[in-house]
């Protein structure tokens, strides 16, 4: 993979500058710095070829010899970005600025990183600090992402989930291609559209992205603390797919991170209630108490009326009670939510088979 020409120029500019010369002058220090520069140049060559792992190793070696080299720290951030280790890249840029507060290249990299992460306010701040005249390409990208993100959040408030999806995808395509928050927003929008597999894929992608918001504990999104929002959506996806224990774990963590958020508290109570209902229903079913199990699953459905697993479990109870028409009805409800739900399809087929052999009603 060959590096974009803009990134190639950035490294060459860094190579020409000597930031953060904080060590006392001595012959050993001069030698160490000269060696560090040579190793850094080797790292730059590997970076240009797209060999980010090797570039990172060389930058680490250079920094071991010259820890206060801001340019090398900035180049390390570039290699980390190439490896999609965005949180570490952000940290390295801030470390470069600690060494040399006038290092504009670090602000430029932070602008680019925050655009990719979908952090508009942070991107705007670093864009203004990068140079007196903002980079017009970065400014245009930032404004485009900001426009689509704004429309996405407005649609979310209105419950217009199709528009949420369209605008989230547009923001991602415009530059916010590594935004955990946008992927979580997509997952949240996919749930009411009954696109459960797609929602699962989106929230899984969000969880894998490297940016723990503890680095910026005040980051907010849609009135949530950022990490809490991702966990809040994850709990909903897990619950919809029948991963009740995972849902409880996610919403417990969300409540710890954002304890005063009323939506988190409400969802916490809801997830706990549904998980309890499912657990009780399973216990009753396994004990042969099928009527009581039906009631338990029904209590869960009052809290979460689009839960395919609870419908399918209740259908199993109706089947055991020889109320096969009700079993078919609950399987149908489960299949409305997820047409590819194999267990519900098989259970419905078994119930239809029983209905076919029912005696005709007496007149």
């Amino acid at each position: 993979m060959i590096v974009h020409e803009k990134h190639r120029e950035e490294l060459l500019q860094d190579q020409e500058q000597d930031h953060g010369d904080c060590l006392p002058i001595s012959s050993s220090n001069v030698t160490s710095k000269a060696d560090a520069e040579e190793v850094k140049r080797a790292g730059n060559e590997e970076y240009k070829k797209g060999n980010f792992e090797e570039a990172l190793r060389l930058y680490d070696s250079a920094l071991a010899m010259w820890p206060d080299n801001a340019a090398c720290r900035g180049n390390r951030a570039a290699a980390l970005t190439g490896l999609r280790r965005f949180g570490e890249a952000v940290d390295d840029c801030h470390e470069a600025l600690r060494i040399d507060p006038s290092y504009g290249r670090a602000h430029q990299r932070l602008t680019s990183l925050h655009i990719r992460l979908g952090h508009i306010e942070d991107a705007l701040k670093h864009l203004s600090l990068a140079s007196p005249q903002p980079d017009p390409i970065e400014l245009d990208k930032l404004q485009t992402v900001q426009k689509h993100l704004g429309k996405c959040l407005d649609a979310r408030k209105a419950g217009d989930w199709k528009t949420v999806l369209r605008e989230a995808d547009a923001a991602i395509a415009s530059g916010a291609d590594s935004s955990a928050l946008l992927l979580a927003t997509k997952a949240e929008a996919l749930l009411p559209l009954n696109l459960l597999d797609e929602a699962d894929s989106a929230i899984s992608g969000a969880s894998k992205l490297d940016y723990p918001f503890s680095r910026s504990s005040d980051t907010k999104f849609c009135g949530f603390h950022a990490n809490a929002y991702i966990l809040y959506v994850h709990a909903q996806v897990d619950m919809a797919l029948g991963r009740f224990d995972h849902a409880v774990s996610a919403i417990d963590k969300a409540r710890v991170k954002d304890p005063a958020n009323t939506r988190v508290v409400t969802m916490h109570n809801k997830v706990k209630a549904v998980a309890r209902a499912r657990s009780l229903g399973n216990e009753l079913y396994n004990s042969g108490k099928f009527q009581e199990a039906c009631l338990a699953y029904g209590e869960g459905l009052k809290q979460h009326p689009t839960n395919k697993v609870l419908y399918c479990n209740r259908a199993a109870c109706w089947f055991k009670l020889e109320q096969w028409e009700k079993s078919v009805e609950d399987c149908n409800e489960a299949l409305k939510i997820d047409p590819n739900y194999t267990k519900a399809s098989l259970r419905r087929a078994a119930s239809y088979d029983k209905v076919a052999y029912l005696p005709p009603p007496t007149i």
Side-chain angles (χ1 to χ4, degrees):
M1 180 167 54
I2 304 301
V3 176
H4 192 279
E5 187 63 32
K6 178 183 176 183
H7 295 158
R8 190 189 303 271
E9 291 173 1
E10 287 179 1
L11 285 179
L12 290 173
Q13 290 175 23
D14 286 341
Q15 197 167 319
E16 293 166 0
Q17 300 179 41
D18 186 10
H19 294 277
D21 188 357
C22 301
L23 296 174
I25 296 175
S26 71
S27 60
S28 62
N29 285 342
V30 169
T31 301
S32 181
K33 288 180 181 180
D35 291 343
E37 283 293 340
E38 187 62 32
V39 174
K40 186 182 79 170
R41 279 192 288 271
N44 292 352
E45 291 305 314
E46 294 300 324
Y47 180 91
K48 293 171 192 175
K49 298 173 187 175
N51 298 330
F52 302 126
E53 287 281 6
E54 180 61 15
L56 182 62
R57 187 188 68 78
L58 289 164
Y59 293 142
D60 284 339
S61 296
L63 285 165
M65 290 182 274
W66 190 359
D68 288 330
N69 187 320
C72 190
R73 184 67 65 176
N75 288 4
R76 186 178 189 273
L80 288 165
T81 300
L83 294 168
R84 300 184 63 82
R85 291 161 59 178
F86 303 114
E88 294 173 76
V90 168
D91 284 349
D92 264 9
C93 287
H94 284 298
E95 179 63 14
L97 288 168
R98 183 195 66 77
I99 296 166
D100 181 2
S102 67
Y103 186 22
R105 182 70 59 206
H107 286 299
Q108 291 174 6
R109 288 202 174 102
L110 282 168
T111 299
S112 178
L113 280 164
H114 284 303
I115 291 173
R116 295 188 70 177
L117 294 166
H119 304 162
I120 301 303
E121 291 182 7
D122 288 332
L124 283 167
K125 179 181 75 174
H126 289 289
L127 183 67
S128 67
L129 293 170
S131 64
Q133 293 297 323
D135 181 334
I137 295 174
E138 290 288 82
L139 179 60
D140 181 66
K141 185 188 293 185
L142 175 53
Q143 289 174 337
T144 304
V145 171
Q146 185 176 29
K147 177 186 71 174
H148 289 299
L149 180 58
K151 290 181 179 179
C152 175
L153 298 186
D154 287 343
R156 182 184 179 275
K157 288 179 184 177
D160 181 357
W161 301 113
K162 290 183 178 179
T163 299
V164 169
L165 284 176
R166 184 176 67 249
E167 294 299 331
D169 281 335
I172 290 168
S174 299
D177 60 351
S178 303
S179 173
L181 292 169
L182 277 168
L183 285 174
T185 306
K186 283 189 64 175
E188 187 181 29
L190 287 159
L191 283 175
L193 300 174
N194 290 335
L195 297 169
L196 304 187
D197 289 341
E198 291 90 335
D200 191 29
S201 177
I203 199 63
S204 295
S207 300
K208 291 173 184 174
L209 284 170
D210 169 44
Y211 194 82
F213 291 97
S214 57
R215 301 170 196 270
S216 179
S217 59
D218 293 332
T219 301
K220 292 289 186 72
F221 188 79
C222 299
F224 295 80
H225 286 289
N227 263 335
Y229 174 72
I230 293 170
L231 291 163
Y232 169 86
V233 176
H234 215 311
Q236 294 178 69
V237 174
D238 284 334
M239 186 165 62
L241 289 167
R243 300 190 297 246
F244 297 97
D245 292 342
H246 291 293
V248 169
S249 176
I251 202 63
D252 280 346
K253 291 174 185 175
R255 189 161 185 181
V256 169
K257 292 180 181 296
D258 203 355
N261 189 307
T262 55
R263 285 172 290 181
V264 171
V265 172
T266 299
M267 184 59 65
H268 185 267
N269 294 337
K270 178 178 178 178
V271 169
K272 291 277 193 176
V274 173
R276 281 195 302 269
R278 176 257 190 173
S279 181
L280 176 59
N282 287 358
E283 288 178 15
L284 291 167
Y285 181 91
N286 291 331
S287 299
K289 298 177 180 179
F290 305 122
Q291 187 66 52
E292 293 88 339
C294 276
L295 294 174
Y297 293 133
E299 287 301 311
L301 284 165
K302 288 178 184 177
Q303 294 291 328
H304 193 215
T306 59
N307 194 289
K308 65 174 186 176
V309 174
L310 294 180
Y311 275 118
C312 196
N313 286 6
R314 193 170 68 176
C317 295
W318 294 129
F319 189 91
K320 290 289 188 179
L321 292 166
E322 300 185 359
Q323 297 192 40
W324 296 299
E325 294 95 338
K326 289 185 177 181
S327 180
V328 168
E329 289 173 8
D330 272 358
C331 289
N332 285 338
E333 291 298 324
L335 289 164
K336 283 180 189 175
I337 299 163
D338 182 0
N340 298 317
Y341 191 14
T342 303
K343 185 179 286 188
S345 295
L346 293 173
R347 190 155 286 156
R348 182 174 65 175
S351 299
Y352 272 137
D353 188 56
K354 293 291 185 181
V355 170
Y357 288 98
L358 284 176
T362 57
I363 299 174

